[in-house]
Amino acid sequence: MEHASRTRPGRTVADLMTSPAVTAAASESLTAAASRMASERVGSVVVLDDGALAGILTERDLLAAGAAGADPAAATVGEWMTPGPDVVGPDEEVIDAWRRFAEHGYRHVPVVAGDEVKGVVSLRDLVRVAQLRPVDGLYTDVPRGLEGVVAAETSVGSVRGMEGFFHYRQYDATELARTRSFEDVCQLLFDGELPEAGRPSVADELAELSSLPAGLEALLPGIVAASPGAPLLDQLRSAVSLLGAVEGMRPTRDLTHVELRRDALRIVAAMPLLAAALHRLAGGLAPVPSDPALGMAANYLAMLTGSRPSPEAAAALERYLVLTIDHGLNASTFTARVVASTGADLAAAVVAAIGALSGPLHGGAPSRALDTLDAIGTPERAEAHITSLVASGERIMGFGHRVYKTVDPRSELMKETAREIGAPLSGLAEQVEQTVLSVLAEMKPDRKLYTNVEFFAGVVMDGCGIPRQMFTPTFALSRTVGWCAHVLEQAADNRIIRPASRYVGPPPPQPVPPRP
Ligand code: ACO
């Protein structure tokens, strides 16, 4: 693993010091030294005695002399300079020089090699060139891809990668997936508690929102017509953007928790309606009206396919949806929190999160995993096919994970579910899985690569009758719950998420070349 603590090799004090240094003699007046500093546009002068370093006089010293009532025409540099100052060497790494400046509060330090004064380096030079932020004395290096960096505090849930365990609030997520409905878990994430008998429930609230705003419904054919053949997820992203506008969603910063929660329920309820309607329209079919009495999972399947699903298919899909509602600070959830942290509206956060999810390294993997199964065709061909993919540097979709360094519990439950519903690709997928794992273990022995949720998720969705192009949109509609729960949390205790970057380009400032 390469870490971002890499500073550019060769970046030393000599690269950015002012050289030669602007100098003064100890016997000169402050007026003479100050006018030289002004004309040379520097913040300090190095004081020399017979060519050797005697001290440094800085703008701060001039201010101190003025504050003490000294007459600058009569007072001498020798009286107000810092004698025998700390020095840096020209070959010193920028990062080490910065540390010294930060520790001692220096602003200007002479650069000396042996007895010879080579120049002066200022805090401003260091900050400008190295793009270091002068906060808390030091800045923080982080690993590439922010691996292992804690960027938020949450009580929504978390992933324990070494144990192969994840949870929503205080409950084991796989147990919730086996026993609870999508709506129940949505309530757990939004309100912190599972529903109780006789009390108002999120299921009821979602059922009340089970049709699209009329203005939006009328716009959907336009989205499909304007982007024929575009990935359904892209069209869904556009539709969510319109939903925010049609509903007049206001910046999270201007909303109470109750108002923001209402927006969240509106988006969660709209996602399956939008995804199914867009799918139907893209196929030249009329959208199927929603039947909220079916429950979210069965209703979604019915709206997609136009016929009432079997209880087994609906239960399998529900399991998948619950299993993928949330999963730590994954890329799309982080994206949602970043957008919300600016105070933007909830639709903006969800649109951005859908964009992050669309990538094949995140949510775009399950259909590609099935494409790999198609390309393999029969189990005997698996080893040669996978070996050649890995040898050519390809990643096998549905394997590997940033956090899990052991079995992904979601993958296990999806494998079991695929078997239970007799998903057509279940047998081939299990055989290919074994081949992929043994090829990866042999060809990438230092990596801990296991099957992730996406491999068998595709097999389950296929077994439920969901077409391949709807895999990632289906993932998006469950993960919307997690995104919204995180936005609710972010908004309740917000500080804008604004990290720093390290500049590694050519040292500025360079003269701007004249226009050609
Ligand atoms: N196939 C082949 N090699 C892999 C795979 C894979 N699926 N996954 C990781 N590796 C290798 C990489 O080539 C790399 O090795 P290299 O540096 O020698 O090239 C190394 O393992 C990187 O491993 P990690 O640090 O564990 O991976 P990282 O955290 O950067 O990426 C990711 C995780 C994106 C999931 C990666 O495993 C991958 O690309 N998998 C395939 C895509 C996929 O299934 N995505 C869905 C993820 S689950 C989800 O988002 C819901």
Side-chain angles (χ1 to χ4, degrees), residues 280 288 301-308:
R280 303 279 300 178
V288 174
L301 274 179
M303 287 188 293
L304 268 186
T305 62
S307 53
R308 188 175 275 236

Side-chain angles (χ1 to χ4, degrees), residues 71-430:
D71 173 1
T76 64
V77 168
E79 288 162 18
W80 288 97
M81 71 182 186
T82 302
D86 205 353
V87 298
V88 291
D91 298 331
E92 197 161 322
E93 289 270 341
V94 164
I95 184 71
D96 296 332
W98 159 259
R99 286 216 170 88
R100 217 121 59 81
F101 272 66
E103 276 163 23
H104 298 284
Y106 296 148
R107 285 175 187 258
H108 303 266
V109 171
V111 183
V112 174
D115 287 338
E116 197 183 341
V117 176
K118 295 284 190 187
V120 171
V121 67
S122 70
L123 179 65
R124 194 185 298 177
D125 294 330
L126 293 174
V127 170
R128 217 194 267 145
V129 172
Q131 291 290 298
L132 306 174
R133 292 182 62 206
V135 283
D136 301 335
L138 291 178
Y139 67 99
T140 311
D141 274 328
V142 292
R144 285 184 81 211
L146 301 184
E147 181 170 0
V149 172
V150 173
E153 292 204 334
T154 183
S155 41
V156 175
S158 85
V159 184
R160 295 195 207 147
M162 303 309 280
E163 294 168 43
F165 171 77
F166 76 116
H167 59 106
Y168 301 152
R169 303 222 181 257
Q170 65 272 43
Y171 303 114
D172 180 334
T174 57
E175 201 182 322
L176 288 168
R178 285 180 191 278
T179 58
R180 289 297 192 142
S181 69
F182 179 81
E183 290 89 336
D184 283 1
V185 179
C186 182
Q187 179 159 343
L188 175 68
L189 262 60
F190 281 14
D191 301 335
E193 287 170 1
L194 287 163
E196 284 174 29
R199 301 199 47 195
S201 71
V202 159
D204 296 337
E205 289 181 272
L206 287 173
E208 275 171 30
L209 293 167
S210 79
S211 58
L212 291 171
L216 178 60
E217 207 167 349
L219 293 171
L220 298 183
I223 295 179
V224 174
S227 51
L232 249 296
L233 192 68
D234 295 4
Q235 297 178 338
L236 183 59
R237 197 182 59 207
S238 306
V240 174
S241 189
L242 284 171
L243 173 70
V246 168
E247 288 278 299
M249 287 186 187
R250 290 187 292 133
T252 53
R253 194 166 172 75
D254 299 339
L255 299 182
T256 63
H257 174 81
V258 171
E259 290 167 327
L260 183 55
R261 181 182 176 281
R262 179 79 192 167
D263 281 352
L265 285 174
R266 176 72 272 189
I267 292 189
V268 167
M271 287 294 280
L273 306 173
L274 291 172
L278 288 167
H279 170 65
R280 303 279 300 178
L281 290 166
L285 299 167
V288 174
S290 159
D291 179 359
L294 291 178
M296 170 25 216
N299 189 23
Y300 174 61
L301 274 179
M303 287 188 293
L304 268 186
T305 62
S307 53
R308 188 175 275 236
S310 71
E312 293 75 24
L317 177 65
E318 184 131 42
R319 220 181 235 189
Y320 166 73
L321 294 174
V322 172
L323 213 50
T324 48
I325 270 186
D326 186 56
H327 205 240
L329 203 60
N330 57 85
S332 56
T333 302
F334 182 53
T335 304
R337 286 192 82 127
V338 170
V339 175
S341 82
T342 70
D345 66 77
L346 183 62
V350 171
V351 166
I354 292 175
L357 186 77
S358 67
L361 300 187
H362 189 8
S367 59
R368 290 177 186 237
L370 254 56
D371 293 344
T372 307
L373 287 182
D374 284 351
I376 290 170
T378 57
E380 317 80 72
R381 298 182 44 194
E383 188 169 351
H385 187 84
I386 299 295
T387 304
S388 94
L389 283 178
V390 177
S392 61
E394 296 278 327
R395 297 205 172 184
I396 311 301
M397 293 294 139
F399 293 84
H401 198 270
R402 169 58 62 85
V403 181
Y404 288 122
K405 300 303 169 199
T406 182
V407 174
D408 179 341
R410 303 170 301 174
S411 156
E412 292 297 289
L413 187 50
M414 283 295 95
K415 188 182 344 187
E416 180 189 318
T417 306
R419 220 181 278 158
E420 278 170 14
I421 62 169
L425 289 168
S426 165
L428 174 65
E430 287 195 31

